[in-house]
Amino acid sequence: MSKTALVVGASGIVGSATATLLLENGWTVYGLARRPLAQDGVEPIAADLQDAQATTIALQRLKPDAVFITTWLRQDSEAENIRVNAAMVRNLLDGLRSSATPARHVALVTGLKHYLGPFEAYGKGILPQTPFREAQGRLDVANFYYAQEDEVFAAAKRDGFRWSVHRPHTVIGKAVGNAMNMGTTLAVYATLCREMGRPFRFPGSYAQWNGLTDMTDARQLARQLLWAATTPEATNEDFNIVNGDVFRWKWMWAQIAEWFELEPAPFDGTIQPLEEQMKDDAPVWRKIAERDGLAEPDLSRLASPWHTDADLGRPIEVVTDMSKSRRLGFTAYQPTDDAFFDLFARLRTDRLIP
């Protein structure tokens, strides 16, 4: 039987990977965004989730079996993050309640800031021990992820749908104009280093350089989203989601350098943020794009140095436990080096890097 999905944020890194996987599995897919992009097989729905009435109107004829919430809007403070992003989830679920057939399953994508704290208190204070486990619960701090969850829980109690929450680590995947995009940021940085003869220097902390870490391929997250939506044992549960391997950046940095035919610069333990290193690179990138016929000459739509700096500059080791979903039958695995290489190859094919 054909199933219908609504992917909220369908043009983003996670949303586009989820839409692709659902289509491959025979689902009818609707993609909601403020300004939907053309995606093969995805029916676009234009709606601003901050506008409750417009959202309800946009969703009034939709009858989704499953809803995947993969979007958020960054604000200047955590209080504003909470206000805006909680309202977006609330407006979405209220709009779906008004549709002809309420959703049977709602999946919310958040992340490891559930354990690390929001940007204003990122990696500070008393944190749970690693590897992070779902049973560790919430920190005693305001966090828009918690506010989003509470909106889902309240609507599920009211409307009777099933839910799942998914917490990826840093996501690897393709999307233009995305606020959190380490893979493409590193690809652009490597390209600029090669172009200008600059050292390909790890920008982060010694703890990240030498400690163990993990990441999440957007395709791996999409697999877990589909699994949770179709597996009764996953009903009303929260799940960590990473690729399944661990690595040290001192190893991964060399792998990325080799892919771009660069020599990795020696690391002396000094944090040298990408936001500082790349602050004057926009004109250089535009020249590269014009010379090589690239699809996106605006550096700010490809690279998010601030977010990459936040992840690579952490003073603590971050690894994630996957036992909960594995015990319930989710066994997918994705090598992280292959995830980077697949992304780089796709960026080159799509003329986003030379």
Side-chain angles (χ1 to χ4, degrees), residues 128-147:
Q129 290 186 344
T130 57
F132 294 139
R133 293 180 170 88
E134 296 91 344
Q136 290 165 324
R138 296 180 175 184
L139 300 174
D140 186 19
V141 61
N143 190 324
F144 83 87
Y145 283 169
Y146 307 160

Side-chain angles (χ1 to χ4, degrees), residues 149-172:
E149 286 182 345
D150 288 342
E151 293 294 341
V152 171
F153 301 158
K157 184 176 181 180
R158 178 192 70 196
D159 299 336
F161 59 74
R162 304 186 302 270
W163 57 265
S164 59
V165 174
H166 304 262
R167 300 183 187 127
H169 198 168
T170 306
V171 176
I172 302 170

Side-chain angles (χ1 to χ4, degrees), residues 155-208:
K157 184 176 181 180
R158 178 192 70 196
D159 299 336
F161 59 74
R162 304 186 302 270
W163 57 265
S164 59
V165 174
H166 304 262
R167 300 183 187 127
H169 198 168
T170 306
V171 176
I172 302 170
K174 181 202 163 190
V176 176
N178 192 273
M180 300 193 297
N181 196 344
M182 181 189 285
T184 304
T185 298
L186 294 181
V188 167
Y189 174 60
T191 300
L192 288 164
C193 287
R194 188 177 61 199
E195 176 76 14
M196 296 186 285
R198 288 196 325 215
F200 185 59
R201 192 186 309 277
F202 181 72
S205 68
Y206 179 81
Q208 291 303 302

Side-chain angles (χ1 to χ4, degrees), residues 76-336:
D76 292 335
S77 69
E78 192 59 20
E80 278 299 288
N81 276 332
I82 290 169
R83 184 187 68 81
V84 170
N85 289 285
M88 289 168 58
V89 173
R90 183 168 60 253
N91 292 340
L92 170 71
L93 298 178
D94 285 350
L96 288 168
R97 187 188 193 195
S98 301
S99 68
T101 305
R104 298 170 188 167
H105 183 91
V106 173
L108 172 67
V109 176
T110 61
L112 292 197
K113 286 188 289 297
H114 181 93
Y115 308 107
L116 287 162
F119 289 119
E120 291 179 0
Y122 194 55
K124 300 176 183 177
I126 300 174
L127 300 176
Q129 290 186 344
T130 57
F132 294 139
R133 293 180 170 88
E134 296 91 344
Q136 290 165 324
R138 296 180 175 184
L139 300 174
D140 186 19
V141 61
N143 190 324
F144 83 87
Y145 283 169
Y146 307 160
Q148 288 181 307
E149 286 182 345
D150 288 342
E151 293 294 341
V152 171
F153 301 158
K157 184 176 181 180
R158 178 192 70 196
D159 299 336
F161 59 74
R162 304 186 302 270
W163 57 265
S164 59
V165 174
H166 304 262
R167 300 183 187 127
H169 198 168
T170 306
V171 176
I172 302 170
K174 181 202 163 190
V176 176
N178 192 273
M180 300 193 297
N181 196 344
M182 181 189 285
T184 304
T185 298
L186 294 181
V188 167
Y189 174 60
T191 300
L192 288 164
C193 287
R194 188 177 61 199
E195 176 76 14
M196 296 186 285
R198 288 196 325 215
F200 185 59
R201 192 186 309 277
F202 181 72
S205 68
Y206 179 81
Q208 291 303 302
W209 177 255
N210 201 51
L212 289 172
T213 193
D214 48 33
M215 293 185 73
T216 307
D217 189 311
R219 299 168 298 183
Q220 173 80 339
L221 174 51
R223 294 178 196 118
Q224 194 191 62
L225 287 166
L226 177 56
W227 167 80
T230 55
T231 302
E233 292 79 6
T235 295
N236 299 351
E237 297 287 353
D238 53 354
F239 298 109
N240 294 333
I241 172 63
V242 287
N243 288 334
D245 61 352
V246 294
F247 63 91
R248 303 181 199 275
W249 273 106
K250 65 181 181 182
W251 175 81
M252 186 66 77
W253 200 251
Q255 309 310 304
I256 294 173
E258 183 178 357
W259 199 94
F260 285 97
E261 300 180 343
L262 293 166
E263 285 292 327
F267 179 64
D268 63 4
T270 304
I271 295 178
Q272 300 189 43
L274 289 180
E275 198 161 25
E276 178 65 24
Q277 291 191 53
M278 299 175 69
K279 66 179 182 179
D280 298 321
D281 287 345
V284 178
W285 184 260
R286 187 168 291 275
K287 289 180 181 177
I288 294 171
E290 291 172 354
R291 182 193 68 202
D292 295 336
L294 302 185
E296 182 51 72
D298 185 348
L299 180 63
S300 68
R301 286 183 49 76
L302 292 175
S304 52
W306 69 272
H307 176 258
T308 300
D309 288 338
D311 279 7
L312 298 184
R314 295 176 186 142
I316 58 173
E317 180 178 272
V318 178
V319 287
T320 315
D321 182 73
M322 281 276 290
S323 299
K324 184 176 181 179
S325 60
R326 296 208 187 287
R327 285 190 177 106
L328 295 175
F330 180 75
T331 58
Y333 168 78
Q334 171 65 58
T336 301

Side-chain angles (χ1 to χ4, degrees), residues 28-41:
T28 299
V29 179
Y30 292 85
L32 186 149
R34 282 177 295 169
R35 293 178 294 276
L37 301 176
Q39 295 171 267
D40 289 346

